[in-house]
Amino acid sequence: MADTGGEQRRAAVNGVMVSLCVVTPPNDAHSFVSVRERDGWYLPAGRVDYGETFPTGAVRETLEEAGIPVNLEGILRIQHSFVGFHRFRVIFLAHPADNTPLKTVPDEETLEARWVTTEELATKRLRSMEVLKIFKWVERGPPVYPLSLFWGQDMDLVDHEKVVCKITFCVSLLFTCQDRILIISEGDGACNVPHGIMQPSCFILDYATQLMKSWSSTSSLSGVVQVRHFPPRVKSDIAVVEFILTCTTPEVNGAPPTITVSGCTTSWAALPQLEHTTGAPAHIISLASGLLSRQITVCPISTITEEASAY
């Protein structure tokens, strides 16, 4: 994502990015891989490395901490919190890739790994009660969202030094009404959809709601199309995370409403017009076209929560 005028860098705030991996056997949601760390039992998890995406981080951390390769099956939840710094986490569901046994010999990562039930885990010393809450939640059968919900591209060189970086969060909004998408043209003539960079920092959905209401007071956040992650390469880089969300907009007198914002011209584009829109980011046009043609999965807005939310 282009950092026009350095605005993304100016909006960046310190943060950590973490992948968590819930590993179960295929067709069995009552047994889980738990790893014993020096401060108690937890699930395979860790910071995403420089140049690395969240899915790659989840697979790597599970191999390092539990000793087994896994195949990611989907996304359980995306979490964002701001507590003076950003905490951004993605919880994945995974199954073992083969019959490799779990780790039994302690190393610098963990002491051991075991298959456990929630009843067995409840008798152990835990690093955090969160692990038990997550496993009980997965036992109840929460929705599992497609891996395509999260987009990222690993870089050629991955640096496994402990990641400390600044993160900028961006939001792009796909307003929909009568199978049309709201397109805007700003002062430079380039087309886009309503978008913004979160500043000051808060919970990402609070910011998205504020941004949406600045365009349309009658719209409502309705879904998550994609979350895009651009990892930092080195300490001096920023990480950029873009949330692409849908906003349902009610019609007025049988037609899409007129939306007026100072400094912009707006129009509602159906699929044929959208595919010929010029100047807009290619990924936005692709996702908007997939949305209108119903070729992509839109996940509920509840896919994104704060870290302290209940499971």
Side-chain angles (χ1 to χ4, degrees), residues 5-27:
E7 186 178 0
Q8 291 175 358
R9 183 168 294 277
R10 290 191 295 272
V13 176
N14 288 333
V16 296
M17 299 175 292
V18 179
S19 285
L20 299 91
C21 202
V22 178
V23 184
T24 68
N27 305 312

Side-chain angles (χ1 to χ4, degrees), residues 3 9 69 147 189 222 233 239 252 280 288 298 303 308:
D3 187 5
R9 183 168 294 277
L147 293 171
S222 52
R233 294 167 297 175
V252 176
V298 178
T303 308

Side-chain angles (χ1 to χ4, degrees), residues 138-299:
V138 173
E139 277 189 316
R140 297 194 296 270
V144 180
Y145 303 109
L147 293 171
S148 58
L149 171 63
F150 202 92
W151 181 93
Q153 187 171 2
D154 293 299
M155 298 181 179
D156 293 337
L157 180 64
V158 175
D159 184 348
H160 296 294
E161 184 179 356
K162 188 174 182 180
V163 174
V164 178
C165 71
K166 293 182 180 293
I167 311 174
T168 294
F169 289 91
C170 308
V171 172
S172 295
L173 299 178
L174 302 182
F175 285 83
T176 61
C177 184
Q178 292 187 339
D179 286 332
R180 290 173 169 83
I181 295 285
L182 182 68
I183 296 294
I184 67 172
S185 179
E186 299 174 291
D188 59 2
C191 293
N192 208 332
V193 296
H195 60 280
I197 297 175
M198 186 169 71
Q199 191 178 15
S201 296
C202 59
F203 175 45
I204 189 65
L205 291 187
D206 289 342
Y207 170 71
T209 300
Q210 296 168 14
L211 178 64
M212 176 187 66
K213 294 301 182 185
S214 72
W215 287 89
S216 169
S217 61
T218 61
S219 298
S220 58
L221 291 177
S222 52
V224 186
V225 176
Q226 195 172 73
V227 179
R228 296 169 66 86
H229 167 233
F230 300 83
R233 294 167 297 175
V234 294
K235 283 186 177 181
S236 58
D237 279 350
I238 62 170
V240 178
V241 181
E242 180 187 16
F243 291 79
I244 303 169
L245 311 176
T246 57
C247 302
T248 301
T249 305
E251 60 185 39
V252 176
N253 297 324
T258 299
I259 294 179
T260 304
V261 173
S262 177
C264 293
T265 58
T266 64
S267 61
W268 289 93
L271 186 58
Q273 294 82 36
L274 188 64
E275 292 176 339
H276 292 92
T277 299
T278 58
H283 71 282
I284 291 293
I285 295 301
S286 175
L287 291 171
S289 298
L291 179 64
L292 292 185
S293 61
R294 295 171 176 79
Q295 293 181 346
I296 61 173
T297 300
V298 178
C299 300

Side-chain angles (χ1 to χ4, degrees), residues 115-130:
W115 289 103
V116 298
T117 64
T118 53
E119 291 80 7
E120 292 167 338
L121 191 63
T123 66
K124 299 182 181 295
R125 184 171 71 92
L126 305 180
R127 170 180 151 182
S128 166
M129 284 298 295
E130 176 188 48

